[in-house]
Amino acid sequence: MTERRATRGEHQKARAQKNKKSDSKPSKKKWFKRITLTLVAIVAACFIGGAGLFAYYASTAPELDEKLLKDPVSSEFYDKNGDLFATIGAENRKFVKYEDIPQDMINAILATEDVRFFEHGGMDFYRLGGAILANFRDGFGAQGASTLTQQVVKNSFLQNEKKLKRKAQEAWLSFQLERKYTKEEIFEMYFNKMLMSGRVYGFGTAAQYFYGKELKDLTLDEEALLAGLVQRPNAYNPLKNPELAEKRRNTVLGLMYQHGKITKAQMEEAKKVNVQAGLADDATRQKFSGSKYDAFLDVVINELEKNGDGSAMAEGIKVYTTLDPKAQQIVENIMNDDSNFPTEKIQSGVTVVDTKTGQIQAIGGGRNYGVERGFNYAYDLQHQPGSTMKPLLDYGPAIENLKWSTGQTLVDEPMKYTGTKQTITNWDNKYMGTMTARKALYASRNVPAVKTLKEVGIDKAQEFVGRLGINAEKVYESDAIGGGDITMSPTQMAASYAAFGNNGVYTDPYAITKIVYRDGKTTKDYTPESNVAMSDYTAYMVTDMLRDVVGNKPDASGTAANVSGLDIAGKTGTTNYSSADFNKHNLPDTSVPDSWFAGYTSNYSIAIWSGYEKHFDPITTWDERRLPQHLFKQIMKEISANVETPRFKKPNSVVEATIEVGTKPLKLASNFTPSEKRRTELFVRGTEPNEVSNEYAMPELSSPYNVSASLDTEGQSINISWEHDAMLNPETDEPLPTTFEVSATKEGGETISLGKTESKGLTISNKQLEDGKYTISVVAVVDGTRSKPGTTAFQVTGTTDENKEPDTPDQPDVEEPTAPDQNGNNGDNGNHNGNGNGNNGNNGNNGNNGNNGNGNAGNGNNGNTGNNGTPPGNNGNNNGSKPPTTPTEPTVPDDGNGSTE
């Protein structure tokens, strides 16, 4: 059998499969080649594009200007009205030539800022490579590689921002600068241009400002400190932040040793020097003051530093601030007047903030504050706040989270901090017992404050103050009274309190609204966002309690801060030394380290601290303690003059109710709760009590007395009258509404209602009563409670038959009057004239209702000696010393019961 031959189609198919297999390896090489070529093309494109972009940016760079290169560019500062109030830059600058700069000073700068300065051509590519790696690792801008040349360019022509355009222009101009000037000339520009601190420019000026020396007289440690300032001029200021300054100085010394500029021994010796040793005094630094409002400018410069623009002033920026020049001048005038202070050396820091916006209006950095005196007591100070912390950490959170009333019952009693043997005391070493939260706050009692913090819980309290800009890493029970870990500055305190006056809305305090860079177009907004820190009911209820701090209630702690005519809320605060401090420093018993006052209106929030520069120089007198209150009063009064100040408005979420103090849960006061136990307090709507306290029963309602009834024959009416001692409202001491029910009971018959009235008399028609003997009764009724009746007897005759002739009354025997007893004791018969209703007039010594019970005739008065007479007894007319008058004709006698019960 022969083998079948493959067809032509089968041969072609086999050949195609063979070719496919043989082409697999060459195809991989082909793809690799393609990828490589693509990457090269991309890199080339990027390089060409980058070069083109660089060329474009370079072409738009400003021209080199020798004047700008060699002179600082001034920055301008504007107040809230847009008016220029300060220019900082070229003032008080000491220009130093390169040949006059000490070599150690040059070495310190180069080791720190640009160790290869004399080797590169404007750009240090070795350092740039390290910076690029750091930026890839940590993000763009994480590390810079600017040379001295680049810094000169940036501070002369460009704005301080990390953008590709600026970096490209900076590189281009640096190459141009290196071609036009020598290294020594460029170093000289840098040396005299750089911002050193505040408004101090150049190393020569800084040497005189910080040390009062010429450059040649500086020591190694001083040179190292100045060299380290340039990176963060205000942060590394040894007058303000000695710890940071020392750390930075030691870094510079380490770099000098690392690069062989000094020996190890020199480095170690210089590191041992106290960073504040040799600093110039205030008088020396005062010579460098080049503007008004130094304390406020100090805050502005710190804010620039905080926002990464610390060196921007060297670039000629415009800074728009929140400064209120009127308020600032008022604060400075008061702070610079020694007569406002009880001692020569006591210090104060003042911050005035706009209640609604958080804008800093004025700063009082200290007495006679000069440019950068080293410490701004309004901004730099961080001290325990004392009792000014109570609204922030205790009562505010309690109202916010627990919906407490201002009348919440608290007890001021001996108590210890949890888990300790330390007893919590009050400033007067006394305890006041049961009270409302309102009183606990305005009287500044410590035990109720700690109890409140424990009740609301530390976590919630910590969260609450966090929304008010107070960063508390840990809160202790002692923080409830401002004696724990939390510290504050007057600036932060003024802003935190402002939230209470702004319906619970908080804004971080700020002194700058925006900055405008040299090009006049690029701006940076500094205005912080506001946030709702608490409910409007919390803000108002705390405010209402704090009104009483400056009010006139007994035990109010801040009355010295009150300004007549202004709706002010505020809080006092003092801090304490420990027992160990008293023993160690032999302090007087009355010693305290800090005194505070924080208060606000709807326009301004002001916080003031007072104390001494050294912690253990104590405040010992009440004049010193009350200094913040007195300063507050003066400042608030002056800045509020001729300014409309609306009162704080109660929101709809708050209601009032009059409660009985001490009830728990709170109950409404009854009509019979004593005035000293009644308080009108505030409640979050929906939480007000409905139950009325029954702790105090209604007092017995007094009966009407001196009830009398008389017949008016002409008017054909019966007139009934009486007297009554009204029950008083315990809260207002005003008479309570009283209704009188009048009735007549016929002897042996029924009782007839004669009517109701709110007056002390009633007239009825004589037709309402038939003939007969009646007992007239009057009952007082107050709020449903009835008194016992007051009564009188009354005879009704001749009213049943209108046509009947009146009977002629029998003529009673009338005794001739006898000579009066010389002692006036014989009151018999004195009232027998006048319808015989004076039977109880016997024995004039008693005189009880002896003057005609019905008042129909007045001639019985001579018989009533009335020594103990109850009205209307007329006191017996001089005790019967006058001869009796002739009696009038008697009327028909009644039954002889004419006195009131």
Side-chain angles (χ1 to χ4, degrees):
M1 183 175 179
T2 60
E3 183 178 356
R4 187 181 70 86
R5 295 180 61 185
T7 66
R8 181 187 298 265
E10 288 174 338
H11 279 295
Q12 290 176 344
K13 185 176 181 181
R15 189 180 298 112
Q17 288 178 345
K18 182 178 180 181
N19 290 338
K20 186 177 180 180
K21 290 180 181 180
S22 63
D23 288 344
S24 61
K25 289 185 179 181
S27 65
K28 290 182 179 179
K29 293 180 180 180
K30 184 178 180 181
W31 278 111
F32 178 77
K33 183 178 180 181
R34 288 177 180 176
I35 292 172
T36 302
L37 290 174
T38 301
L39 289 175
V40 170
I42 291 173
V43 171
C46 290
F47 179 80
I48 294 171
L53 186 62
F54 179 85
Y56 170 74
Y57 285 152
S59 67
T60 60
E63 296 292 329
L64 292 178
D65 185 329
E66 185 169 357
K67 186 176 183 301
L68 293 177
L69 285 167
K70 293 189 175 182
D71 293 328
V73 182
S74 295
S75 289
E76 297 176 344
F77 295 80
Y78 297 85
D79 64 26
K80 63 183 294 185
N81 304 315
D83 296 327
L84 180 70
F85 72 91
T87 301
I88 298 176
E91 305 88 349
N92 298 312
R93 182 173 67 97
K94 180 179 176 61
F95 188 86
V96 181
K97 295 181 178 180
Y98 180 81
E99 54 265 29
D100 295 327
I101 303 173
Q103 188 60 48
D104 277 344
M105 188 78 257
I106 295 174
N107 291 339
I109 293 172
L110 294 179
T112 307
E113 296 294 326
D114 189 358
V115 71
R116 282 175 289 276
F117 172 69
F118 284 97
E119 300 169 11
H120 61 66
M123 293 282 291
D124 188 344
F125 293 103
Y126 179 82
R127 188 178 179 189
L128 179 62
I132 291 174
L133 291 176
N135 289 335
F136 272 116
R137 183 178 63 248
D138 302 323
F140 183 71
Q143 180 177 316
S146 294
T147 62
L148 294 188
T149 310
Q150 288 175 277
Q151 292 184 55
V152 169
V153 167
K154 181 186 72 173
N155 290 339
S156 300
F157 306 108
L158 305 172
Q159 62 193 48
N160 185 28
E161 55 180 350
K162 294 179 178 179
K163 291 184 178 179
L164 288 174
K165 179 179 179 180
R166 199 268 293 173
K167 297 302 290 186
Q169 291 179 339
E170 183 182 291
W172 172 251
L173 290 175
S174 295
F175 287 128
Q176 295 299 311
L177 189 64
E178 290 275 352
R179 291 174 61 187
K180 188 172 182 179
Y181 296 95
T182 66
K183 287 288 188 179
E184 288 76 13
E185 288 175 321
I186 296 172
F187 189 93
E188 185 180 277
M189 294 173 189
Y190 172 89
F191 192 81
N192 290 289
K193 175 178 284 290
M194 301 307 295
L195 176 67
M196 301 300 292
S197 192
R199 63 216 69 170
V200 177
Y201 287 83
F203 284 83
T205 314
Q208 292 187 332
Y209 174 75
F210 283 106
Y211 296 107
K213 295 179 179 181
E214 296 294 330
L215 283 168
K216 63 183 179 61
D217 299 319
L218 293 176
T219 60
L220 177 60
D221 62 280
E222 294 167 347
E223 291 171 329
L225 186 141
L226 295 182
L229 283 175
V230 176
Q231 189 181 87
R232 296 178 62 195
N234 293 291
Y236 295 141
N237 186 329
L239 298 165
K240 294 184 169 206
N241 304 306
E243 292 182 2
L244 278 177
E246 181 178 5
K247 185 176 180 180
R248 178 62 176 166
R249 180 201 66 183
N250 292 345
T251 297
V252 173
L253 289 169
L255 289 169
M256 291 180 74
Y257 168 67
Q258 176 184 332
H259 295 296
K261 306 299 183 181
I262 58 174
T263 65
K264 185 176 182 180
Q266 287 176 310
M267 176 188 70
E268 292 177 348
E269 186 67 25
K271 284 184 177 182
K272 293 178 183 178
V273 180
N274 187 316
V275 76
Q276 291 189 314
L279 291 175
D281 57 21
D282 289 345
T284 300
R285 291 194 296 275
Q286 285 280 11
K287 294 185 299 183
F288 292 86
S289 178
S291 65
K292 296 187 296 183
Y293 313 141
D294 296 321
F296 187 89
L297 270 174
D298 194 22
V299 173
V300 171
I301 293 168
N302 273 279
E303 199 163 308
L304 288 169
E305 177 78 29
K306 180 180 176 182
N307 285 273
D309 296 311
S311 60
M313 284 196 303
E315 304 169 21
I317 60 174
K318 292 183 178 181
V319 183
Y320 292 87
T321 76
T322 63
L323 173 72
D324 181 339
K326 175 189 172 185
Q328 182 66 35
Q329 195 61 60
I330 288 171
V331 169
E332 289 189 6
N333 290 343
I334 290 172
M335 294 290 287
N336 295 340
D337 185 349
D338 290 344
S339 67
N340 292 324
F341 295 83
T343 68
E344 182 180 352
K345 292 186 177 181
I346 194 168
Q347 270 292 359
S348 286
V350 179
T351 299
V352 181
V353 165
D354 186 301
T355 303
K356 300 179 183 65
T357 66
Q359 293 183 350
I360 300 173
Q361 305 284 277
I363 290 287
R367 296 171 65 178
N368 301 300
Y369 190 89
V371 58
E372 288 196 292
R373 289 174 60 100
F375 198 83
N376 188 320
Y377 288 102
Y379 192 81
D380 297 326
L381 178 135
Q382 289 291 326
H383 280 203
Q384 291 177 332
S387 291
T388 54
M389 182 55 69
K390 291 174 181 175
L392 302 168
L393 192 67
D394 309 331
Y395 298 102
I399 295 173
E400 180 72 12
N401 293 283
L402 305 178
K403 291 185 171 56
W404 272 16
S405 163
T406 58
Q408 176 75 20
T409 299
L410 294 167
V411 182
D412 184 20
E413 60 188 350
M415 174 184 172
K416 291 180 172 59
Y417 288 115
T418 302
T420 74
K421 296 182 179 180
Q422 183 179 352
T423 300
I424 304 169
T425 59
N426 293 300
W427 64 269
D428 56 1
N429 292 315
K430 297 177 182 179
Y431 300 96
M432 298 176 69
T434 301
M435 61 181 60
T436 62
R438 178 186 296 274
K439 181 169 184 178
L441 182 54
Y442 76 67
S444 202
R445 311 308 289 178
N446 287 340
V447 171
V450 177
K451 287 183 175 180
T452 300
L453 176 61
K454 293 178 68 175
E455 186 78 15
V456 75
I458 282 177
D459 290 343
K460 290 182 178 178
Q462 186 174 3
E463 180 183 350
F464 186 87
V465 296
R467 294 195 296 269
L468 294 174
I470 303 170
N471 296 318
E473 293 184 3
K474 192 168 179 62
V475 175
Y476 300 94
E477 288 181 6
S478 56
D479 281 306
I481 57 176
D485 275 7
I486 297 176
T487 59
M488 295 179 71
S489 69
T491 300
Q492 181 58 63
M493 185 177 291
S496 297
Y497 267 70
F500 292 126
N502 192 33
N503 299 314
V505 178
Y506 170 79
T507 308
D508 283 323
Y510 64 106
I512 302 173
T513 57
K514 68 176 181 179
I515 61 175
V516 179
Y517 292 99
R518 188 182 300 123
D519 61 8
K521 300 177 181 178
T522 308
T523 64
K524 184 175 182 180
D525 186 12
Y526 269 58
T527 306
E529 292 185 3
S530 300
N531 68 279
V532 178
M534 67 189 87
S535 304
D536 59 356
Y537 57 77
T538 302
Y540 182 80
M541 290 167 69
V542 170
T543 294
D544 195 59
M545 291 194 288
L546 293 180
R547 281 167 163 162
D548 288 339
V549 173
V550 298
N552 56 7
K553 291 186 175 181
D555 304 313
S557 59
T559 54
N562 190 33
V563 180
S564 178
L566 290 180
D567 190 9
I568 294 175
K571 185 68 188 76
T572 57
T574 56
T575 60
N576 297 309
Y577 293 110
S578 66
S579 298
D581 290 337
F582 275 97
N583 295 330
K584 181 178 179 181
H585 298 278
N586 195 28
L587 300 172
D589 292 342
T590 57
S591 298
V592 298
D594 307 283
S595 182
W596 291 85
F597 186 82
Y600 54 96
T601 65
S602 56
N603 290 334
Y604 301 105
S605 179
I606 303 175
I608 301 176
W609 167 90
S610 290
Y612 288 88
E613 181 180 356
K614 296 180 180 179
H615 181 70
F616 292 108
D617 287 344
I619 290 172
T620 58
T621 67
W622 279 106
D623 283 343
E624 292 168 284
R625 286 197 188 196
R626 293 195 179 105
L627 175 59
Q629 296 183 55
H630 292 302
L631 294 177
F632 173 90
K633 181 173 185 175
Q634 292 182 70
I635 294 170
M636 184 63 85
K637 181 178 180 180
E638 291 193 33
I639 66 176
S640 300
N642 303 317
V643 177
E644 183 180 356
T645 305
R647 291 184 61 82
F648 299 110
K649 184 178 180 181
K650 184 175 70 175
N652 189 52
S653 57
V654 176
V655 295
E656 294 181 356
T658 301
I659 55 98
E660 185 175 292
V661 175
T663 51
K664 197 169 184 179
L666 289 175
K667 295 181 181 179
L668 297 172
S670 70
N671 287 331
F672 320 113
T673 301
S675 59
E676 65 271 15
K677 289 287 188 179
R678 301 172 68 89
R679 295 289 185 275
T680 299
E681 298 292 352
L682 302 180
F683 291 82
V684 179
R685 183 175 294 276
T687 67
E688 62 272 24
N690 297 313
E691 185 178 351
V692 178
S693 172
N694 58 5
E695 178 70 18
Y696 297 93
M698 179 178 181
E700 184 175 351
L701 185 59
S702 63
S703 299
Y705 60 91
N706 286 349
V707 180
S708 64
S710 62
L711 178 65
D712 182 352
T713 56
E714 292 185 4
Q716 295 185 339
S717 61
I718 300 172
N719 297 323
I720 305 170
S721 63
W722 59 89
E723 295 187 44
H724 182 255
D725 297 330
M727 179 179 289
L728 300 181
N729 185 319
E731 186 172 7
T732 64
D733 285 336
E734 296 293 326
L736 289 170
T738 305
T739 301
F740 299 96
E741 296 179 355
V742 185
S743 62
T745 303
K746 189 175 183 180
E747 186 177 51
E750 62 180 349
T751 297
I752 303 171
S753 174
L754 302 180
K756 296 180 181 180
T757 181
E758 293 181 358
S759 62
K760 296 178 183 178
L762 182 68
T763 299
I764 63 171
S765 170
N766 58 8
K767 295 180 181 180
Q768 288 184 250
L769 300 178
E770 298 177 350
D771 288 352
K773 294 182 179 180
Y774 288 87
T775 298
I776 305 296
S777 298
V778 182
V779 175
V781 182
V782 175
D783 198 21
T785 300
R786 302 169 62 82
S787 71
K788 293 180 180 179
T791 63
T792 188
F794 185 68
Q795 178 74 39
V796 178
T797 59
T799 61
T800 57
D801 189 349
E802 295 181 8
N803 297 322
K804 182 179 178 181
E805 292 293 330
D807 293 335
T808 301
D810 295 335
Q811 296 293 329
D813 295 333
V814 179
E815 296 183 9
E816 290 297 325
T818 58
D821 191 313
Q822 292 301 313
N823 295 323
N825 293 327
N826 221 348
D828 291 344
N829 300 321
N831 284 326
H832 284 235
N833 300 321
N835 291 336
N837 291 330
N839 291 341
N840 286 333
N842 296 335
N843 297 324
N845 285 331
N846 294 325
N848 187 29
N849 294 321
N851 185 26
N852 292 329
N854 289 326
N856 292 330
N859 290 326
N861 291 339
N862 290 330
N864 184 8
T865 60
N867 291 341
N868 296 315
T870 301
N874 287 348
N875 295 324
N877 286 332
N878 296 320
N879 294 324
S881 62
K882 292 184 179 181
T885 58
T886 303
T888 59
E889 288 298 318
T891 58
V892 178
D894 64 11
D895 61 0
N897 295 326
S899 65
T900 304
E901 291 184 5

